[in-house]
Amino acid sequence: MKTSWVMDSGMVILPRVSSEFGTGFSLNHADTVSFMQNPPDSSAARLKIGFLLIDRFSNLCLSNALEPLRAANSFAETPVYSWSFYSLDGAPVRSSSGMAVLPNGKISDMSRADRLYVIASYGHLANDTPATRRALQQAARRCGAMFGLDAGAWLMASAGLLAGRRATVHWDLLDAFSERFLDVDVEQALWFEDGDVLTCAGASATLALSRHLIARDVSPAIALDVDALFTPPVRSNALPSVRDPLLTRATRIMRENIETPLGIDDLSSRLNTSPRTLTRRCQAVLGMTPGQLYRHIRLSAARSLVEGSTTSIAEIAVRCGYEDPTALTRAFRKRFGAAPRAFRGETAPNRA
């Protein structure tokens, strides 16, 4: 009997029975992965995203582009993103590790998207064909912006979509890219946005890009929530949640003191700054006061406990610094639009 696994982002993995291990190059022996059209409530989403997967694309690039958007949807009041997946011809397409993906359709089926991610990696030269160039040129007329991830920028440049633009590409391809596309102003950067095109250097850069886009599309506070899911809670500034050292330390201290929240004077003292400076920096970077940020972090922690444990609401209230369940419920309803109990069980929104 075959078994399938449904991932939170809508990915359905269907295993194949075989006497041999997958090689990464044979479609017959690779796991077949199909993507459901969209999350159930995608009609309310504000931004329509398309993913064009080119043969031998990077799994990590796709995950780092998609999963933060799915997580942002779970934290936002209403869904912000919906997505569909395409290949050049509508047929299954293989990742660099041999995972076969069944797309929603061929790229010419895409009616309209706010953003189209072109994800290519190994084998970009073999995929740089007249048919690919025509497909990208046509798709560019049906999307608000086109993003080239990893070697996706190479295919976009070959299609003439980066002529006269500033762009980047995977660091292994920078020299060859500069020599091949003389009409592109090449930048050595994690990503570079020039008008309605954006290019990104690789998988790790894609995760940083996703965080940047969520902060811009939704809010810096929601980006902080996503950071908390994907960034390990260690005492390190190597992966800062915000681009401000003071606020990076402030948010870390807040997360370490959720059950007994600190007053702004105590918090400022631990940061070796004044309450006025902390408030000014917090409002300038995040658009909220330190108190509002602290409350946001505590409520996000409360939601995590509500969805991910069987702990009572009364105990969650205590753990998240609220005097009683009523106070937590009131704040929770104001932030998330429903009482904590509505986020338990099969109807609860998806998490990372």
Side-chain angles (χ1 to χ4, degrees):
M1 182 177 69
K2 292 185 177 180
T3 304
S4 63
W5 296 272
V6 181
M7 309 304 286
D8 282 347
S9 60
M11 183 169 68
V12 183
I13 302 178
L14 306 172
R16 289 182 178 273
V17 177
S18 172
S19 60
E20 301 180 25
F21 288 103
T23 63
F25 297 97
S26 170
L27 184 60
N28 291 331
H29 298 305
D31 287 345
T32 299
V33 179
S34 63
F35 288 89
M36 296 166 60
Q37 179 69 24
N38 279 312
D41 54 359
S42 63
S43 61
R46 177 160 53 86
L47 294 173
K48 311 297 182 183
I49 310 296
F51 292 95
L52 173 58
L53 307 180
I54 305 296
D55 192 48
R56 301 187 69 193
F57 70 93
S58 165
N59 295 335
L60 193 53
C61 264
L62 175 59
S63 295
N64 285 350
L66 173 62
E67 287 300 308
L69 304 187
R70 181 201 55 75
N73 272 356
S74 75
F75 285 114
E77 293 182 5
T78 58
V80 178
Y81 306 100
S82 64
W83 46 82
S84 295
F85 301 85
Y86 304 96
S87 65
L88 289 170
D89 57 5
V93 58
R94 297 169 303 174
S95 73
S96 58
S97 60
M99 182 179 71
V101 175
L102 181 63
N104 296 96
K106 56 188 176 182
I107 188 60
S108 59
D109 293 337
M110 185 183 75
S111 57
R112 182 70 186 173
D114 294 293
R115 294 172 187 158
L116 176 64
Y117 287 74
V118 180
I119 308 181
S121 186
Y122 300 97
H124 63 281
L125 293 178
N127 289 308
D128 187 6
T129 65
T132 300
R133 292 191 284 272
R134 285 194 299 271
L136 290 176
Q137 290 164 357
Q138 294 167 4
R141 294 193 285 269
R142 301 193 303 276
C143 64
M146 183 176 285
F147 292 5
L149 306 187
D150 203 323
W154 186 290
L155 300 181
M156 290 170 60
S158 186
L161 300 175
L162 298 180
R165 307 282 193 124
R166 300 172 71 184
T168 192
V169 70
H170 192 283
W171 42 89
D172 282 346
L173 302 176
L174 272 172
D175 290 343
F177 187 82
S178 300
E179 295 169 2
R180 170 67 176 81
F181 303 108
L182 300 179
D183 57 351
V184 180
D185 187 0
V186 181
E187 299 282 345
Q188 187 171 356
L190 292 179
W191 73 82
F192 201 91
E193 189 171 15
D194 188 344
D196 58 359
V197 297
L198 184 149
T199 48
C200 186
S204 58
T206 298
L207 185 59
L209 171 63
S210 295
R211 189 241 179 252
H212 166 77
L213 293 172
I214 290 167
R216 189 172 71 182
D217 297 336
V218 192
S219 73
I222 296 297
L224 281 174
D225 289 332
V226 174
D227 281 339
L229 291 181
F230 293 102
T231 303
V234 295
R235 285 181 171 272
S236 170
N237 290 333
L239 295 171
S241 295
V242 291
R243 302 297 186 263
D244 185 299
L246 177 64
L247 296 185
T248 295
R249 290 187 291 125
T251 55
R252 187 182 65 210
I253 292 173
M254 289 176 184
R255 289 191 175 111
E256 291 172 350
N257 294 273
I258 288 179
E259 185 168 340
T260 306
L262 304 173
I264 188 170
D265 289 338
D266 192 0
L267 177 60
S268 300
S269 177
R270 296 190 185 200
L271 294 168
N272 294 316
T273 190
S274 68
R276 180 177 180 181
T277 296
L278 178 60
T279 298
R280 177 170 49 81
R281 295 271 283 277
C282 197
Q283 289 179 325
V285 176
L286 298 174
M288 59 178 66
T289 66
Q292 290 170 329
L293 173 60
Y294 213 157
R295 183 164 54 252
H296 185 98
I297 289 173
R298 289 162 54 210
L299 284 170
S300 294
R303 178 168 169 174
S304 180
L305 288 170
V306 167
E307 293 181 340
S309 75
T310 57
T311 305
S312 70
I313 303 302
E315 176 64 19
I316 291 173
V318 171
R319 291 188 186 184
C320 295
Y322 285 89
E323 295 179 355
D324 53 57
T326 301
L328 171 62
T329 298
R330 183 166 53 249
F332 200 99
R333 188 187 299 276
K334 183 176 181 179
R335 162 89 185 274
F336 298 113
R341 296 190 188 281
F343 287 76
R344 285 201 150 151
E346 295 181 355
T347 59
N350 291 331
R351 296 298 307 273

